[in-house]
Amino acid sequence: MKYDIFNGDADGIIALLQLQLANPTDTVKVTGVKRDIQLMKKITPQEGDCIRVLDISMEKNMSELHEALSAGARVMYVDHHKAGDIPAHANLFAHIDLDANMCTSLIVSDLIDKQFHLWAITAAYGDNLFAKADSEADELNLTDLQKSQLKAFGTYINYNGYGSEVADLHFAPEELYELLLQYKSPFDAINDKKSVYYTLELAYKADMEKAANAQVVHDCDTAKVILLEDAAWARRVSGVLGNDLANQSPNKAHAVFTFNNKGSYLVSVRAPLNNKQGAVDICSKFATGGGRAAAAGINELPKSQVESFVEELVGYYK
């Protein structure tokens, strides 16, 4: 069997998109909402299987990775999240870069000689790596209009990945990947007035308009915490709203709380854009937390721990 296991956000989808555009391969796709990251649990590897894992933390999938390698599977692992101790194994081909200004799609782009680098730039914008994406775009002499289009596209694809379950999303991640696969360049999709770009644009703008009235739980010089209502639209904007707030106030950390369907909160955290570190350290102090230095989250934060979380967030960046 051949498996592609990938995060359901812009970075995960576009990482796979590039690999498939470069070398079309028939594989079993395994994905989910952005926060569904323990995806290796969803397969039972056998000897001789080929597995590509894209944009999910190795640390969060470590036991399943060891099982796959022990079973005799070959694993290509590409990521930029907290990795833990990378196993030394002949069947593991790890491409891990924890630089706060890197994303999985940029790593993939380097692996395939930048054949579809416009897509990688789109993913970088979607991962809120605006400065890095601008720099990569400038090397290709893209116009301001082209950069703004790729920034919007990356944001829309990323926005689609957020939700407690796939039913919250406009498109299931695998479906969105298939819709994008017909376009060798993001500009091909943007130039197609019937493409998913325009469907997501309308949905994104409608949801963000609702988010403008969100409840502010805490606001000080170092951090701002927002609570969204219990609704599908709120779960969809939880990540992109954090990015938007971070860009508005680059010296502040931001956290967006949304209700999940388990009686607790899903938390999306952004480190200050001018100090892109610490997000994963804060979130990892809580049972279901993880991520990377610049952006991290907690899947299930009990209501009893909200005050403790806010103290950790504010205290870290004082």
Side-chain angles (χ1 to χ4, degrees):
M1 296 289 290
K2 293 181 179 179
Y3 295 97
D4 278 322
I5 302 175
F6 61 104
N7 199 324
D9 69 352
D11 197 20
I13 289 173
I14 292 175
L16 177 58
L17 183 68
Q18 292 178 88
L19 288 173
Q20 287 285 51
L21 287 171
N23 182 26
T25 308
D26 188 19
T27 64
V28 175
K29 310 296 188 299
V30 180
T31 186
V33 297
K34 179 178 174 64
R35 291 302 179 81
D36 190 359
I37 59 171
Q38 291 182 298
L39 294 173
M40 289 196 75
K41 283 185 174 179
K42 298 186 178 184
I43 68 169
T44 305
Q46 306 291 328
E47 184 174 0
D49 286 353
C50 293
I51 305 168
R52 294 190 296 201
V53 188
L54 306 168
D55 199 43
I56 58 173
S57 166
M58 183 181 285
E59 185 178 64
K60 294 292 185 180
N61 290 270
M62 190 62 77
S63 61
E64 292 77 21
L65 175 59
H66 279 292
E67 287 173 12
L69 295 171
S70 297
R74 292 165 60 86
V75 182
M76 175 185 179
Y77 211 116
V78 190
D79 190 42
H80 65 132
H81 298 94
K82 193 174 180 183
D85 294 325
I86 301 173
H89 196 288
N91 278 357
L92 175 62
F93 306 89
H95 305 275
I96 308 294
D97 189 336
L98 303 183
D99 188 298
N101 292 306
M102 280 297 286
C103 64
T104 304
S105 288
L106 287 172
I107 301 170
V108 167
S109 187
D110 286 341
L111 292 174
I112 60 170
D113 298 323
K114 295 189 161 114
Q115 292 179 63
F116 303 97
H117 199 54
L118 288 171
W119 275 120
I121 292 171
T122 304
Y125 279 125
D127 237 20
N128 205 39
L129 302 177
F130 287 0
K132 176 67 172 177
D134 281 340
S135 172
E136 296 290 321
D138 289 340
E139 287 192 21
L140 297 181
N141 296 315
L142 298 190
T143 65
D144 287 343
L145 173 60
Q146 288 174 317
K147 287 194 283 188
S148 68
Q149 288 175 324
L150 295 188
K151 181 185 293 186
F153 204 179
T155 299
Y156 301 156
I157 298 170
N158 211 48
Y159 148 80
N160 182 78
Y162 283 89
S164 291
E165 53 194 31
V166 172
D168 286 337
L169 314 183
H170 297 293
F171 297 94
E174 184 178 345
E175 180 189 4
L176 181 53
Y177 156 77
E178 294 288 353
L179 289 168
L180 296 174
L181 190 58
Q182 62 186 297
Y183 303 107
K184 290 193 173 181
S185 161
F187 292 121
D188 292 339
I190 293 167
N191 292 331
D192 178 2
K193 298 301 180 184
K194 295 181 180 179
S195 81
V196 68
Y197 175 92
Y198 294 97
T199 308
L200 289 175
E201 180 180 49
L202 287 173
Y204 171 82
K205 289 181 176 179
D207 282 354
M208 288 297 279
E209 198 170 315
K210 294 175 185 174
N213 299 314
Q215 178 185 346
V216 178
V217 174
H218 177 90
D219 194 8
C220 66
D221 290 343
T222 56
K224 186 173 185 177
V225 180
I226 299 290
L227 174 63
L228 298 176
E229 66 178 77
D230 187 4
W233 73 262
R235 292 187 285 274
R236 288 194 295 266
V237 302
S238 61
V240 289
L241 178 60
N243 291 344
D244 197 42
L245 293 168
N247 285 295
Q248 290 175 32
S249 302
N251 291 319
K252 280 189 183 184
H254 291 85
V256 177
F257 281 64
T258 47
F259 293 95
N260 59 25
N261 54 10
K262 300 174 183 176
S264 53
Y265 293 111
L266 185 150
V267 187
S268 182
V269 178
R270 297 292 179 269
L273 283 185
N274 292 338
N275 181 21
K276 293 169 72 171
Q277 54 87 28
V280 69
D281 299 319
I282 296 164
C283 292
S284 293
K285 292 185 177 182
F286 299 86
T288 59
R292 52 193 173 87
I298 304 167
N299 286 343
E300 298 174 36
L301 182 73
K303 293 179 181 179
S304 61
Q305 293 183 15
V306 169
E307 189 173 330
S308 174
F309 169 81
V310 173
E311 288 176 1
E312 289 283 353
L313 183 71
V314 174
Y316 187 94
Y317 295 106
K318 268 189 175 177

